[in-house]
Amino acid sequence: MEAIWLYQFRLIVIGDSTVGKSCLIRRFTEGRFAQVSDPTVGVDFFSRLVEIEPGKRIKLQIWDTAGQERFRSITRAYYRNSVGGLLLFDITNRRSFQNVHEWLEEAKAHVQPYQIVFVLVGHKCDLDTQRQVTRHEAEKLATAYGMRYIETSARDAINVEKAFTDLTRDIYELVRKGEINIQEGWEGVKSGFVPNVVHSSEEVIKSDRRCLC
Amino acid sequence: MAQENETPKDKIPRIDVYGFERPEEFDYAFYEDFYSRYLSILTRRAIKWSKLLKKSTAIEKSLKVKRYIRKGIPNEHRCNIWMIVSGAQVQMEQNPGYYQSILDEGNEDAKLKDAVITDLNRTFPDNVQFRKTANPCLQSNLYNVLVAYGQHNRRVGYCQGMNFIAGYLLLVTKDEEKSFWLLDALIGRILPDYYSPAMIGLKTDQEVLGELVKMKVPAVAELMERHAVMWTLVVSRWFICLFIDILPVETVLRIWDSLFYEGSKIIFRVALTLIKQFQAFILEARNFPDICEKFKEITKGRYVMECHVFMQKIFTEPGSLSNVTITKLREKHKSKLLTQE
């Protein structure tokens, strides 16, 4: 029996080759870190449940994508059905930061007619001594794009939970406010299994009271 | 007695003959059982092959050779036979000195070098021959083969996945130049364009597989459609890496024996066999993640470890699969994809 969840969100993880996309996802979904990880060839798939508030669980389905440019012909098919994305660069690799814009353009071009909520992730923050991108300039760029910025390390398990959970909360808020809607034929957001979805413990108590009347 | 208490795990080396560390979950007990049976097959095949090669050194395409190859090329002849049947040998002989000169040229291309270097440490970290500390370390040979190939075939350059293929070629041939010409045979002639920037050959073949599954294992095709699972998600690696790191090493090499001789339709045979064999298991999947998980599971375990039986299955299980059918399906899906773009 699968755990009960309120919504299911699909997220896509993108960014240059070797910025650490697979390692970040593995840390998040499996709690492990491998010193060396195979290059991702094509697209891979992971999932995990997160609790954004006590009792409120969201199921995340995460696409891991190949960073090498030519694989974009394969990976671009996966934007359309994603509601959120983590755009990674490696803080020790300036070029991967410069390519952020290109990744965003790529995403924009292929997500139509839907939209994706992105978070900009400066990865490998444990390697601070080799840093080539300052936190300040990354924050500035993220602000310009209207995204959050967060620095993570899969090796030292820094902010990995936070990166995924914050993004999940943001999307949840948008769904709650009706700015993102569940749509037929779109896999980005799906409603949970529970019939008569109970949104919080308060509502349960309220309805109980009503019954007593 | 200590010896009597020895488990298969104590007897079987942790590192296989190619230098790969056996994974944590390796099924030692079954491997021992399988290998004791396989050893007698290997011995029998070795005798047959040496007789065949004694008669004539020139291996020509014939039903007999095809049958011999389907039953497996003994390790000691593998490099030699691959070279001959793939046409790599002829190319190498007709182009003396070419490999070295193209390698020198490739070394001038910074972008190509960068792309190759990025993946050197990430190629077979579980193989002792590819470790930086190994002596000799195959990383430098791998670098050379990939840079030379990227320069030789400018349209393809370097595509991730080629590192694994060239790595296997080096493990089998132990020779850079031969690995280069075998890579050329695979990428330039045997496989459709899987690795060029548009990857149109790869996308086409995944559509073709989808259609073949529809014909031969319709329930699975229906399941994939119902849950909107794209074939690229579950089988990209099968095609791009030619089953490396998907199936056991010995099984991969046996598949490659026939791939070099019979061509790329062998990949469909392997894929269809896996899907058909595990049809009931795949159909247990209730949702999207389940399906992805099942497709990972079906490439593990005893069925694929038992490489000799598995190779018999791939020629019977999927039924007939003519080159004409494959060619037609490829044409159809390629033009469909091209109009979509």
Side-chain angles (χ1 to χ4, degrees):
Chain A
M1 177 65 193
E2 209 166 354
I4 293 165
W5 39 270
L6 214 51
Y7 289 108
Q8 173 185 292
F9 296 162
R10 275 204 187 164
L11 309 179
I12 188 166
V13 181
I14 56 172
D16 278 8
S17 200
T18 73
V19 297
K21 298 179 288 298
S22 304
C23 286
L24 185 78
I25 299 172
R26 277 181 196 280
R27 170 61 86 182
F28 179 64
T29 57
E30 295 165 6
R32 291 190 289 125
F33 177 76
Q35 287 295 333
V36 204
S37 138
D38 286 0
T40 304
V41 175
V43 181
D44 211 346
F45 178 83
F46 297 85
S47 69
R48 208 195 108 172
L49 218 53
V50 291
E51 197 162 43
I52 51 166
E53 281 169 37
K56 275 189 196 172
R57 281 185 291 265
I58 308 278
K59 186 167 189 187
L60 297 181
Q61 297 195 338
I62 305 163
W63 302 117
D64 186 13
T65 63
Q68 199 188 17
E69 194 171 342
R70 70 187 62 191
F71 283 95
R72 289 185 197 177
S73 59
I74 306 282
T75 57
R76 64 175 54 126
Y78 293 84
Y79 289 108
R80 206 184 145 273
N81 279 306
S82 305
V83 66
L86 290 92
L87 206 177
L88 263 69
F89 71 89
D90 170 358
I91 65 153
T92 70
N93 175 349
R94 178 118 204 124
R95 201 191 299 164
S96 71
F97 179 66
Q98 287 159 347
N99 286 339
V100 161
H101 178 73
E102 205 183 308
W103 279 109
L104 213 54
E105 288 298 309
E106 165 81 5
K108 269 190 206 151
H110 295 98
V111 69
Q112 310 279 1
Y114 308 99
Q115 52 160 336
I116 302 188
V117 183
F118 270 112
V119 55
L120 184 65
V121 180
H123 195 44
K124 306 192 189 175
C125 71
D126 55 297
L127 302 173
D128 201 45
T129 51
Q130 298 164 48
R131 184 187 278 275
Q132 293 183 0
V133 181
T134 68
R135 183 187 278 269
H136 178 69
E137 58 183 328
E139 273 168 354
K140 223 171 94 185
L141 186 74
T143 310
Y145 290 133
M147 308 175 187
R148 273 178 195 276
Y149 176 65
I150 188 163
E151 296 200 339
T152 57
S153 160
R155 174 175 292 152
D156 293 351
I158 300 167
N159 279 344
V160 176
E161 288 289 318
K162 189 168 161 48
F164 283 93
T165 315
D166 283 359
L167 177 64
T168 306
R169 283 210 183 93
D170 289 349
I171 297 167
Y172 174 71
E173 275 308 308
L174 292 168
V175 172
R176 214 177 49 86
K177 283 194 260 170
E179 287 178 33
I180 295 175
N181 295 306
I182 297 169
Q183 292 173 60
E184 190 67 28
W186 182 57
E187 307 282 325
V189 179
K190 293 220 153 173
S191 193
F193 286 147
V194 214
N196 307 320
V197 179
V198 176
H199 282 277
S200 73
S201 49
E202 280 169 3
E203 285 174 35
V204 179
I205 296 163
K206 265 187 224 155
S207 59
D208 275 351
R209 276 191 198 136
R210 246 176 253 137
C211 287
L212 288 169
C213 293
Chain B
M1 298 291 273
Q3 259 184 330
E4 278 171 31
N5 292 332
E6 255 189 356
T7 64
K9 195 170 177 174
D10 300 321
K11 280 184 274 178
I12 296 162
R14 292 294 152 83
I15 291 167
D16 72 17
V17 290
Y18 306 100
F20 288 98
E21 263 175 48
R22 298 194 199 278
E24 198 93 345
E25 65 280 3
F26 191 76
D27 188 346
Y28 285 93
F30 180 75
Y31 182 80
E32 189 189 34
D33 171 50
F34 148 72
Y35 199 75
S36 64
R37 276 176 282 127
Y38 192 44
L39 205 58
S40 65
I41 296 168
L42 287 176
T43 314
R44 198 164 67 236
R45 299 318 304 165
I47 296 167
K48 294 248 183 192
W49 272 93
S50 35
K51 270 189 199 158
L52 178 79
L53 292 169
K54 233 176 241 160
K55 255 189 248 160
S56 88
T57 45
I59 289 288
E60 274 170 24
K61 292 223 165 186
S62 69
L63 278 175
K64 187 178 181 182
V65 170
K66 182 171 164 180
R67 199 176 68 237
Y68 268 50
I69 288 177
R70 284 184 174 192
K71 289 181 179 177
I73 306 170
N75 235 333
E76 62 268 32
H77 301 304
R78 191 163 257 146
C79 165
N80 187 22
I81 303 298
W82 283 3
M83 288 296 290
I84 296 167
V85 299
S86 68
Q89 187 70 37
V90 173
Q91 288 294 320
M92 189 167 87
E93 282 163 10
Q94 285 175 354
N95 297 283
Y98 178 77
Y99 172 68
Q100 193 54 51
S101 68
I102 202 81
L103 172 58
D104 294 341
E105 262 179 51
N107 270 320
E108 309 279 307
D109 183 341
K111 209 175 160 196
L112 173 65
K113 278 167 61 178
D114 269 2
V116 170
I117 289 169
T118 300
D119 287 341
L120 285 184
N121 273 325
R122 307 203 283 172
T123 309
F124 304 137
D126 58 338
N127 188 300
V128 291
Q129 300 195 62
F130 279 90
R131 292 223 178 107
K132 264 192 183 144
T133 46
N135 187 21
C137 165
L138 289 180
Q139 275 193 14
S140 57
N141 309 96
L142 180 66
Y143 167 87
N144 288 346
V145 172
L146 291 172
V147 166
Y149 191 75
Q151 181 66 25
H152 165 69
N153 187 342
R154 302 291 299 171
R155 203 173 62 86
V156 167
Y158 170 68
C159 175
Q160 286 174 341
M162 283 162 54
N163 55 324
F164 297 118
I165 296 174
Y168 259 43
L169 292 173
L170 282 165
L171 288 172
V172 169
T173 64
K174 303 179 180 70
D175 184 298
E176 263 181 40
E177 191 177 3
K178 286 179 183 169
S179 298
F180 169 84
W181 288 110
L182 284 169
L183 190 63
D184 179 53
L186 277 173
I187 293 173
R189 295 192 295 277
I190 296 171
L191 303 170
D193 59 346
Y194 286 175
Y195 307 94
S196 58
M199 295 191 139
I200 192 74
L202 177 73
K203 286 159 113 183
T204 303
D205 272 11
Q206 308 210 325
E207 295 297 319
V208 172
L209 177 67
E211 186 150 349
L212 290 171
V213 173
K214 215 177 267 175
M215 282 152 52
K216 292 171 186 286
V217 207
V220 171
E222 195 273 325
L223 177 82
M224 300 289 280
E225 212 168 306
R226 184 152 33 97
H227 293 281
V229 183
M230 283 183 268
W231 284 100
T232 55
L233 183 63
V234 285
V235 297
S236 282
R237 272 192 84 97
W238 296 11
F239 285 81
I240 296 175
C241 301
L242 305 174
F243 300 103
I244 293 173
D245 269 358
I246 301 284
L247 298 176
V249 186
E250 199 62 42
T251 312
V252 174
L253 295 176
R254 288 287 303 269
I255 293 168
W256 286 24
D257 287 346
S258 288
L259 178 67
F260 277 116
Y261 187 87
E262 296 183 48
S264 57
K265 75 170 177 180
I266 294 297
I267 304 169
F268 292 116
R269 285 203 167 279
V270 175
L272 287 168
T273 304
L274 288 168
I275 293 167
K276 204 164 173 190
Q277 169 69 23
F278 292 105
Q279 172 169 204
F281 177 72
I282 296 171
L283 291 174
E284 286 169 13
R286 290 277 160 270
N287 51 45
F288 191 101
D290 270 5
I291 298 176
C292 299
E293 197 47 45
K294 299 275 180 194
F295 270 85
K296 282 181 188 167
E297 286 299 313
I298 63 172
T299 60
K300 293 175 195 156
R302 299 179 172 187
Y303 186 68
V304 293
M305 192 192 269
E306 184 93 51
C307 59
H308 198 67
V309 179
F310 182 74
M311 286 308 287
Q312 289 168 343
K313 294 271 185 200
I314 75 162
F315 294 107
T316 53
E317 200 80 350
S320 92
L321 194 68
S322 73
N323 278 321
V324 180
T325 311
I326 301 282
T327 311
K328 264 194 198 151
L329 287 176
R330 274 179 174 155
E331 275 167 16
K332 176 181 148 189
H333 286 285
K334 188 173 177 179
S335 62
K336 220 174 171 181
L337 284 165
L338 288 173
T339 48
Q340 274 170 17
E341 276 182 3

